[in-house]
């Protein structure tokens, strides 16, 4: 078993959210707006456990990442579309379906690809956790 230490951040409404990546002594300086444009891997942690049937539920309910491409003009595309704004450290994603997500942007380490990256974590306006890392 490996011990993973992750940073905890607080949303503007006071809820704790955790970094999608393990702590690696990252530089805590603000991420420049120009560095956000590009291809990201996003995952919405929308776990489903049927109330009262947690012990009988047989499917593992895997959560898969989807592509997210932030364009420099403040729009995004991929598995979903919408617009984005950034006031460091908060990136606000406004999805086409009316959902919005203020996410905390931080420099981080992509452990799977062994390189420095930019990551985000937060909650959408339904209280669902959303994570991302720049490819």
């Amino acid at each position: 078993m490996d011990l993973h230490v992750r940073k905890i951040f607080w949303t503007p409404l006071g809820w704790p959210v955790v970094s999608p990546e393990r702590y690696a002594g990252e530089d805590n300086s603000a991420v420049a707006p120009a560095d956000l444009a590009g291809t990201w891997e996003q995952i919405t942690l929308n776990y489903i456990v049927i109330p009262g049937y947690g012990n009988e539920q047989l499917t593992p309910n895997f959560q898969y990442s989807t592509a997210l491409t932030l364009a420099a003009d403040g729009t995004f595309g991929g598995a979903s579309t919408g617009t984005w704004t950034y006031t460091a450290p908060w990136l606000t994603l406004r999805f086409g379906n009316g959902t919005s997500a203020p996410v905390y942007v931080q420099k981080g380490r992509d452990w799977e690809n062994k390189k420095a990256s930019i990551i985000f974590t937060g909650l959408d306006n339904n209280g669902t956790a959303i994570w991302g890392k720049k490819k």
Side-chain angles (χ1 to χ4, degrees):
M1 181 108 179
D2 292 327
L3 175 65
H4 294 192
V5 175
R6 296 175 188 249
K7 284 185 172 181
I8 298 175
F9 306 100
W10 301 92
T11 69
L13 296 176
W15 290 99
V17 290
V18 247
S19 173
E21 294 287 348
R22 294 178 267 176
Y23 176 70
E26 302 89 6
D27 173 11
N28 287 322
S29 62
V31 174
D35 292 338
L36 296 177
T39 305
W40 292 72
E41 196 175 339
Q42 171 195 313
I43 188 165
T44 302
L45 300 172
N46 203 13
Y47 292 104
I48 299 169
V49 174
I50 301 167
Y53 292 93
N55 293 334
E56 293 86 357
Q57 191 167 349
L58 300 176
T59 62
N61 193 224
F62 292 122
Q63 304 294 293
Y64 296 100
S65 65
T66 57
L68 175 71
T69 302
L70 298 182
D73 67 359
T75 62
F76 65 83
S80 55
T81 60
T83 60
W84 64 275
T85 56
Y86 180 64
T87 304
W90 295 100
L91 167 66
T92 302
L93 302 169
R94 290 180 185 83
F95 297 91
N97 66 3
T99 304
S100 64
V103 294
Y104 191 97
V105 175
Q106 170 78 37
K107 294 177 183 176
R109 173 138 179 91
D110 180 343
W111 287 93
E112 293 146 331
N113 297 304
K114 298 175 179 53
K115 66 176 188 169
S117 184
I118 301 172
I119 57 176
F120 68 69
T121 182
L123 300 173
D124 69 16
N125 58 346
N126 296 316
T128 304
I130 181 170
W131 284 353
K133 71 176 174 182
K134 190 169 182 189
K135 289 188 167 191

